[in-house]
């Protein structure tokens, strides 16, 4: 699957976003090493901080299905620049192996980054006492 194909899947999932408070619908599509695609959307809440981003929803769906090794994540929104994951999502992303993260917007702009480019000097399990 090409990066453009994965972005197209993210755009399809985006139609299911629940974003009545921000009006900012986000879609994500996570390609696993096994070749499956899991979708995610932002799911907002009347108690604003309770809302969850599309990226974390996709990762949760994949992990729930038993997948932990990822090839690529595409995220798309109607943003001026390709949609950049928030800090919390970046931390969740570096927990699992993934080759690349594809940022996109509905205008068709793409930007491809590695997890290390997204979150340099990330905190990880290696820092924890054994
Ligand atoms: N959001 C995402 O789902 N992913 C991002 O990469 C950026 C932000 C959501 C959170 C909230 O529902 C809305 O977009 C506005 O911040």
């Amino acid at each position: 699957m090409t990066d453009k194909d994965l972005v197209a899947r993210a755009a399809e999932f985006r139609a299911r976003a629940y974003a009545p408070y921000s009006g900012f619908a986000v879609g994500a599509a996570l390609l696993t090493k096994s070749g499956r695609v899991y979708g995610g959307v932002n799911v907002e809440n009347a108690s604003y901080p309770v809302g969850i981003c599309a990226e974390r929803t996709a990762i949760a769906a994949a992990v729930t299905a038993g997948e932990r090794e990822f090839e690529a994540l595409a995220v798309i929104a109607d943003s001026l620049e390709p949609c950049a994951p928030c800090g919390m999502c970046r931390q969740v992303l570096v927990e699992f192996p993934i080759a690349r993260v594809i940022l996109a917007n509905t205008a068709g702009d793409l930007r491809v980054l590695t997890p290390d480019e997204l979150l340099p000097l990330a905190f990880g399990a290696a820092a924890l006492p054994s």
Side-chain angles (χ1 to χ4, degrees), residues 26 28 30 38-44 51-64 73 89 92:
V26 186
L30 181 59
Y38 293 87
V41 297
N42 51 336
V43 182
E44 297 186 344
I52 184 167
C53 295
E55 296 90 324
R56 275 176 290 142
T57 309
I59 291 167
V63 172
T64 302
L73 173 82
C89 287
V92 172

Side-chain angles (χ1 to χ4, degrees), residues 12 22 29 49 60 68 75 97 102:
E12 286 171 17
S22 72
R68 293 182 183 177
V75 53
I102 306 147

Side-chain angles (χ1 to χ4, degrees), residues 29-34 36-40 54-73 96:
L30 181 59
L31 176 64
T32 66
K33 284 270 186 208
S34 63
R36 294 188 182 85
V37 174
Y38 293 87
E55 296 90 324
R56 275 176 290 142
T57 309
I59 291 167
V63 172
T64 302
E67 304 271 8
R68 293 182 183 177
E69 294 194 359
F70 308 130
E71 183 59 36
L73 173 82
F96 301 100

